C-alpha cells in the first residue's frame, strides 16, 4: 500500500543502475560499445519538439556556478526546493553557455557535474513521505524536458562517451519509471506533464525497444486528461493560471508530435481560457497557487489567434467570472477547492476578486509564494487574510465551500455577479456590480448574519491613506464603505505579493498593503473607484447614492439610475417589474432605458407600460398602442429581447 502521493516505491536497477550493456540492449544491441551506440543513435535520432533556442541574455550568469562547482545533492535546500533542484535546470546552462561561446570549460563543467550527480543522486532523501527525490513524476518530466533537447547538440560534441551514456541512461530510466507509474488515470498536473515527455522521448529516440509502448501509454493518459482534467471551459483541473500554463506548454510539446492532440477541442479551449484572463497589460493575475503569467509567447507558439473579448466572460467549470469595461476589469473567483497529490493549490477564499485597469493591478491579492517552503505559504499566501474577502471570526475557509452562483446579469452599462457560500459555517452572499460607462467603478455588497466578528479585507500595492469617514485611497484606487464608522474597527497591515513589471514582462515581490474593516455585522457595501478623488457615497432610503463630479448614480437592489448634471442619462433594472416613472411590467424583466428607447428582456409573455410620447415602435415595427397620461401600453407577445422606441420616428 502506498504511503505517499504516488505508487509504492518501484525503483530498481533497470531504472537507476543502467550500465553500458543495459543501455545497448535498450536500443536492441546495435553496437558493441558506447561509441558505436552513440553513432547509431545519432543517425536515427529525431529532432526534439522544441530544439534548443539561441542562447538568451543571462546564460553566462546562469552557467557561472558550474565553473565554480555546485553541490549536486542540493542538501540545504528547503523541503520542496530540494525536489526542484533535481530537475537539473541548473545543469542545462552549461550546454547553453558552451553553444554561445564555444568555450569547452562549460561543456567540461556540464560533464563533471552530471557524472557526480549520477553517482550521488540516490543517496539523497527527501522530507515528503513516500516520495523519492529523484524518481517521481515531476522529476522525470522536468529532467527530460530540460535535457532531452540537449542530446541533439551533445551527441556529435566532444562530450565523453561515458557522460553521453549517463545522460541517455538518465532519460531512459526516467521514462521507464514513468511508464510503470502511470498505468491508470489520476487527476492533476503531475501525470499529464509526465505523459507528454514520455511521448516526447519516444519520438526523439524511436530506436529504443520500448519506444512504441511508451508512446501508446502516453497517448492513453493524454487523451484521458483532455477529457477529464481539462474543463469544458478550457481551464485545467487545479484552476491555477500558473499550472494551467505548465500543462498547456507540455501539451504543446505533445501537439507537435501527435496531430490528434493538436486537433482536440479542449487543447484549443485551453488557449482561449488564457486569452480570456489576460489583462490589458499582457499578464494573467496570480490566482490560487500561481505566479503572474505572461502568456503571449505560449499563445503564439500554440497558434492561438487574438480574440475580441466580450464585455463579460463566465468560466463556469473553472469558477471564474470576468467583468470588463473599456479599461477597468474585475476577475471574480467562485470555484471549488481542488485536491492535489501533496498540497492543494486552492486558496482559502471564495467570491474574492481582483481589479486591474490601464495595464496595472488596482485591487490585488497575495497570489502564489516564492517557494512552497516559504514560512508564510499557509498563513498568508493561501490564507483568506491575503485575499479580498470577508473573514468570519478569523477562521480559515472550509474546503467544503458550497458555492452557488446566479446567472450573470448584463444590461449593457451594468453587469452584476451574485453568489453565496457556506465555507465559514453560515451563508455569506456577495454581489459585485460594475458600471461600465465612465466613470466606471465597482460596488461590492456583502451580506451575512449571526453572532460573529466579520472582517472585510482589501489589498492594494500602495499604502491606504484615509481621506474621509470609511474612505481610503491607495494611490490609483479609492475605496468607500457605506457603513457606520462608529461600529467599525479599521486596521492596516503589510504583507508581500508579486507585482507585474510591464517593461520586462516579469514579476517581482513587493509590499501588499491590507485594509481591514471589522464589525459585528456581516453587511458591507464597498465602492471601488479607480483614479478618482471627488466621490461621495451616501444612503437615501434603501438606495445607495454615489456622486462622482457631475455624475450621480442611484443604486438599488436591482436598479441603477445615472444622471449627469441633474439630467437622466440612462436607467437599468434586472428582475424588476418597475423602473420608477419609466417602465412597468406584469412580469419580471431586465430593462435598459435611454432617452425614448427601452431594451427589454422578458422570460414570458407580459404586458408593458413605458413612459412615451408620439409614435411607438416594437422591434422597429410601428404598433397601435394606447397612450394615456404619458404612458404607452403594449404587450410583449413571447419571451425574448425587445426594443421599444417612441417619438416621431425621425
Amino acid at each position: 500500500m502506498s504511503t505517499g502521493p504516488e505508487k509504492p516505491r518501484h525503483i530498481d536497477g533497470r531504472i537507476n543502475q543502467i550500465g553500458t550493456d543495459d543501455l545497448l540492449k535498450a536500443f536492441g544491441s546495435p553496437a558493441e560499445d558506447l561509441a558505436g551506440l552513440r553513432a547509431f543513435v545519432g543517425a536515427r535520432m529525431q529532432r526534439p519538439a522544441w530544439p534548443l533556442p539561441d542562447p538568451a541574455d543571462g546564460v553566462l550568469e546562469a552557467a557561472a556556478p558550474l565553473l565554480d562547482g555546485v553541490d549536486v545533492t542540493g542538501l540545504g535546500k528547503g523541503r520542496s526546493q530540494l525536489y526542484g533542484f533535481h530537475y537539473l535546470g541548473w545543469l542545462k546552462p552549461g550546454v547553453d553557455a558552451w553553444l554561445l561561446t564555444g568555450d569547452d570549460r562549460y561543456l567540461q563543467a556540464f560533464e563533471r557535474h552530471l557524472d557526480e550527480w549520477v553517482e550521488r543522486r540516490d543517496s539523497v532523501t527527501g522530507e515528503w513521505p513516500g516520495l523519492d527525490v529523484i524518481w517521481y513524476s515531476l522529476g522525470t518530466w522536468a529532467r527530460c524536458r530540460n535535457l532531452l533537447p540537449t542530446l541533439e547538440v551533445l551527441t556529435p560534441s566532444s562530450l565523453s562517451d561515458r557522460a553521453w551514456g549517463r545522460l541517455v541512461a538518465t532519460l531512459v530510466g526516467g521514462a521507464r519509471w514513468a511508464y510503470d507509474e502511470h498505468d491508470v488515470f489520476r487527476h492533476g498536473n503531475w501525470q499529464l506533464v509526465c505523459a507528454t515527455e514520455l511521448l516526447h522521448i519516444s519520438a526523439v529516440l524511436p530506436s529504443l525497444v520500448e519506444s512504441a509502448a511508451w508512446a501508446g501509454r502516453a497517448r492513453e493518459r493524454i487523451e484521458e486528461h483532455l477529457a477529464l482534467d481539462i474543463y469544458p471551459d478550457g481551464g485545467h483541473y487545479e484552476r491555477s493560471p500558473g499550472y494551467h500554463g505548465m500543462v498547456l506548454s507540455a501539451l504543446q510539446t505533445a501537439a507537435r508530435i501527435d496531430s490528434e492532440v493538436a486537433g482536440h477541442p479542449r487543447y484549443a479551449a485551453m488557449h482561449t481560457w488564457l486569452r480570456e484572463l489576460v489583462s490589458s497589460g499582457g499578464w494573467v493575475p496570480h490566482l490560487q497557487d500561481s505566479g503572474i503569467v505572461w502568456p503571449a509567447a505560449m499563445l503564439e507558439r500554440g497558434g492561438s489567434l487574438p480574440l475580441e473579448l466580450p464585455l463579460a466572460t463566465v468560466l463556469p467549470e473553472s469558477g471564474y467570472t470576468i467583468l470588463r469595461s473599456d479599461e477597468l476589469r474585475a476577475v471574480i473567483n467562485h470555484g471549488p477547492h481542488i485536491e492535489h497529490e501533496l498540497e492543494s493549490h486552492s486558496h482559502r477564499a471564495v467570491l474574492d476578486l481582483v481589479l486591474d485597469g490601464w495595464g496595472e493591478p488596482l485591487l490585488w491579492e497575495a497570489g502564489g509564494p516564492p517557494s512552497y517552503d516559504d514560512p508564510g505559504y499557509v498563513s498568508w499566501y493561501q490564507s483568506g487574510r491575503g485575499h479580498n474577502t470577508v473573514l468570519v471570526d478569523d477562521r480559515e475557509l472550509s474546503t467544503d465551500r458550497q458555492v452557488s452562483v446566479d446567472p450573470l446579469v448584463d444590461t449593457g452599462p451594468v453587469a452584476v455577479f451574485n453568489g453565496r457560500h457556506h465555507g465559514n459555517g453560515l451563508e455569506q452572499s456577495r454581489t459585485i456590480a460594475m458600471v461600465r460607462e465612465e466613470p466606471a467603478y465597482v460596488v461590492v455588497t456583502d451580506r451575512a448574519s449571526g453572532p460573529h466578528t466579520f472582517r472585510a479585507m482589501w489589498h492594494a500595492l500602495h499604502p491606504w491613506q484615509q481621506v474621509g469617514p470609511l474612505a481610503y485611497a491607495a494611490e490609483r484606487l479609492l475605496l468607500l464603505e457605506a457603513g457606520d464608522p462608529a461600529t467599525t474597527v479599521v486596521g492596516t497591515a503589510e504583507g508581500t505579493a508579486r507585482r507585474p513589471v510591464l517593461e520586462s514582462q516579469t514579476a517581482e515581490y513587493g509590499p501588499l498593503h491590507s485594509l481591514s474593516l471589522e464589525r459585528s455585522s456581516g453587511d458591507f457595501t464597498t465602492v471601488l473607484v479607480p483614479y478618482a478623488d471627488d466621490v461621495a457615497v451616501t444612503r437615501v432610503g434603501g438606495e445607495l447614492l454615489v456622486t462622482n463630479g457631475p455624475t450621480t448614480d442611484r443604486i438599488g437592489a436591482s436598479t441603477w439610475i445615472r444622471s449627469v448634471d441633474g439630467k437622466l442619462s440612462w436607467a437599468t433594472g434586472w428582475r424588476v417589474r418597475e423602473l420608477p416613472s419609466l417602465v412597468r411590467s406584469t412580469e419580471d424583466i431586465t430593462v435598459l432605458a435611454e432617452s425614448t428607447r427601452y431594451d427589454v428582456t422578458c422570460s414570458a409573455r407580459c404586458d408593458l407600460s413605458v413612459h412615451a410620447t408620439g409614435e411607438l415602435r416594437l422591434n422597429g415595427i410601428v404598433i397601435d398602442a394606447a397612450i394615456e397620461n404619458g404612458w404607452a401600453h403594449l404587450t410583449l407577445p413571447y419571451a425574448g429581447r425587445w426594443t421599444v422606441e417612441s417619438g416621431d420616428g425621425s
Side-chain angles (χ1 to χ4, degrees):
M1 180 177 178
S2 176
T3 58
E6 301 199 282
K7 285 184 177 183
R9 182 180 174 90
H10 53 92
I11 304 165
D12 54 30
R14 49 186 285 277
I15 290 169
N16 66 348
Q17 297 293 330
I18 300 175
T20 299
D21 289 344
D22 300 318
L23 197 59
L24 289 168
K25 290 176 183 176
F27 285 91
S29 301
E32 295 183 355
D33 55 20
L34 279 176
L37 179 63
R38 189 172 181 175
F40 172 83
V41 170
R44 290 160 180 79
M45 184 190 308
Q46 302 300 303
R47 299 209 76 190
W50 308 106
L52 289 178
D54 293 335
D57 292 342
V59 164
L60 297 184
E61 290 81 358
L66 294 174
L67 299 181
D68 298 329
V70 174
D71 178 359
V72 298
T73 66
L75 295 179
K77 304 287 183 183
R79 179 175 64 169
S80 294
Q81 287 177 303
L82 177 64
Y83 286 79
F85 176 83
H86 289 278
Y87 297 171
L88 301 188
W90 53 269
L91 187 57
K92 180 178 170 291
V95 178
D96 296 331
W98 167 69
L99 288 173
L100 177 65
T101 65
D103 188 340
D104 282 342
R105 290 183 306 146
Y106 292 108
L107 191 60
Q108 292 160 5
F110 174 89
E111 177 169 333
R112 184 170 64 253
H113 284 85
L114 176 65
D115 272 340
E116 187 178 358
W117 179 80
V118 169
E119 291 167 2
R120 301 184 64 187
R121 64 192 179 192
D122 290 314
S123 67
V124 181
T125 302
E127 296 181 34
W128 286 109
L131 193 67
D132 191 85
V133 173
I134 309 300
W135 309 105
Y136 87 111
S137 292
L138 288 189
T140 60
W141 159 72
R143 283 192 299 276
C144 191
R145 187 174 179 86
N146 284 327
L147 298 181
L148 182 62
T150 69
L151 271 184
E152 184 177 34
V153 296
L154 292 180
T155 298
S157 76
S158 61
L159 188 75
S160 73
D161 290 338
R162 168 190 168 91
W164 179 88
R166 284 187 156 183
L167 175 58
V168 175
T170 295
L171 296 172
V172 169
R176 285 174 172 170
W177 184 93
Y179 177 82
D180 294 345
E181 173 71 19
H182 296 298
D183 57 347
V184 65
F185 171 84
R186 69 170 185 247
H187 279 296
N189 66 78
W190 287 21
Q191 184 178 82
L192 177 49
V193 298
C194 198
T196 63
E197 282 304 310
L198 190 60
L199 179 65
H200 194 194
I201 191 173
S202 73
V204 173
L205 299 175
S207 50
L208 279 162
V209 173
E210 297 154 278
S211 175
W214 294 348
R217 180 155 296 177
R219 286 188 168 94
E220 287 176 357
R221 296 294 87 79
I222 291 169
E223 181 179 350
E224 292 164 353
H225 276 267
L226 285 168
L228 301 179
D229 227 21
I230 307 302
Y231 296 121
D233 63 26
H236 178 252
Y237 184 69
E238 292 166 276
R239 307 182 55 245
S240 155
Y243 284 101
H244 180 102
M246 168 181 158
V247 166
L248 178 54
S249 179
L251 284 170
Q252 287 179 340
T253 295
R256 299 270 289 191
I257 299 164
D258 189 335
S259 60
E260 290 191 10
V261 175
H264 199 289
R266 295 282 171 90
Y267 175 71
M270 291 185 75
H271 292 82
T272 302
W273 189 90
L274 270 184
R275 286 205 180 277
E276 292 279 8
L277 282 166
V278 175
S279 73
S280 59
W283 43 266
V284 176
H286 50 195
L287 309 168
Q288 316 305 325
D289 274 354
S290 177
I292 292 171
V293 178
W294 300 85
M298 182 185 303
L299 292 170
E300 182 180 357
R301 187 168 64 235
S304 174
L305 299 175
L307 297 174
E308 183 175 344
L309 295 175
L311 290 174
T313 298
V314 179
L315 301 169
E317 294 84 17
S318 299
Y320 293 111
T321 291
I322 305 145
L323 308 180
R324 303 179 181 90
S325 71
D326 286 345
E327 291 288 351
L328 185 62
R329 186 182 75 147
V331 181
I332 306 161
N333 164 44
H334 50 88
H337 184 278
I338 302 296
E339 75 286 352
H340 182 262
E341 289 93 338
L342 286 181
E343 296 175 305
S344 174
H345 292 308
S346 295
H347 286 190
R348 294 302 185 97
V350 71
L351 304 186
D352 51 312
L353 75 156
V354 293
L355 292 179
D356 60 76
W358 298 269
E360 299 183 53
L362 299 172
L363 189 71
W364 207 226
E365 292 186 334
S371 158
Y372 295 133
D373 299 318
D374 191 289
Y377 173 42
V378 173
S379 62
W380 169 247
Y381 293 100
Q382 281 213 340
S383 170
R385 293 192 309 112
H387 296 74
N388 299 302
T389 189
V390 177
L391 307 179
V392 179
D393 299 329
D394 275 336
R395 297 194 305 255
E396 290 292 8
L397 189 76
S398 167
T399 58
D400 183 12
R401 301 169 174 183
Q402 302 177 51
V403 185
S404 60
V405 174
D406 295 339
L408 184 70
V409 172
D410 197 331
T411 71
V414 174
V416 184
F417 167 91
N418 190 62
R420 62 206 60 81
H421 74 89
H422 294 77
N424 288 311
L426 69 158
E427 180 170 288
Q428 292 175 262
S429 69
R430 170 167 275 189
T431 299
I432 300 170
M434 173 185 283
V435 58
R436 294 191 175 107
E437 288 195 4
E438 292 297 332
Y441 60 93
V442 170
V443 178
V444 181
T445 306
D446 291 293
R447 295 286 180 264
S449 60
H452 301 282
T453 299
F454 298 90
R455 189 149 58 106
M457 302 296 301
W458 304 104
H459 307 277
L461 294 180
H462 302 278
W464 295 97
Q465 304 291 335
Q466 186 168 10
V467 294
L470 295 186
Y472 298 85
E475 190 167 306
R476 298 177 178 87
L477 183 68
L478 180 64
L479 181 151
L480 306 101
E481 209 281 319
D484 182 0
T487 61
T488 306
V489 177
V490 179
T492 57
E494 183 178 306
T496 305
R498 285 185 180 95
R499 58 187 65 200
V501 181
L502 300 183
E503 296 77 12
S504 58
Q505 294 200 351
T506 58
E508 61 186 20
Y509 281 91
L512 183 66
H513 299 275
S514 304
L515 173 70
S516 64
L517 306 177
E518 182 180 303
R519 58 175 65 126
S520 59
S521 165
D523 295 348
F524 298 87
T525 301
T526 308
V527 180
L528 300 161
V529 189
Y531 291 94
D533 51 20
D534 183 21
V535 181
V537 175
T538 55
R539 287 196 179 277
V540 179
E543 295 182 320
L544 192 70
L545 206 65
V546 180
T547 304
N548 188 346
T551 301
T552 299
D553 289 340
R554 196 165 80 244
I555 306 167
S558 298
T559 59
W560 195 303
I561 300 171
R562 171 162 287 189
S563 300
V564 179
D565 292 325
K567 297 180 180 179
L568 178 68
S569 177
W570 50 263
T572 188
W574 50 96
R575 296 188 292 271
V576 297
R577 297 197 177 193
E578 181 180 13
L579 278 180
S581 303
L582 293 170
V583 181
R584 295 194 295 263
S585 171
T586 58
E587 300 290 338
D588 286 350
I589 59 173
T590 295
V591 57
L592 171 63
E594 294 181 279
S595 184
T596 59
R597 176 187 171 108
Y598 302 85
D599 291 311
V600 181
T601 301
C602 59
S603 58
R605 174 188 175 92
C606 67
D607 294 332
L608 190 73
S609 299
V610 298
H611 186 70
T613 58
E615 184 178 85
L616 202 68
R617 298 179 299 282
L618 179 61
N619 284 5
I621 300 171
V622 176
I623 60 173
D624 184 15
I627 299 179
E628 55 181 337
N629 299 323
W631 287 89
H633 307 286
L634 65 152
T635 297
L636 302 181
Y638 50 85
R641 182 165 184 168
W642 304 90
T643 299
V644 180
E645 296 170 286
S646 71
D648 59 9
S650 60

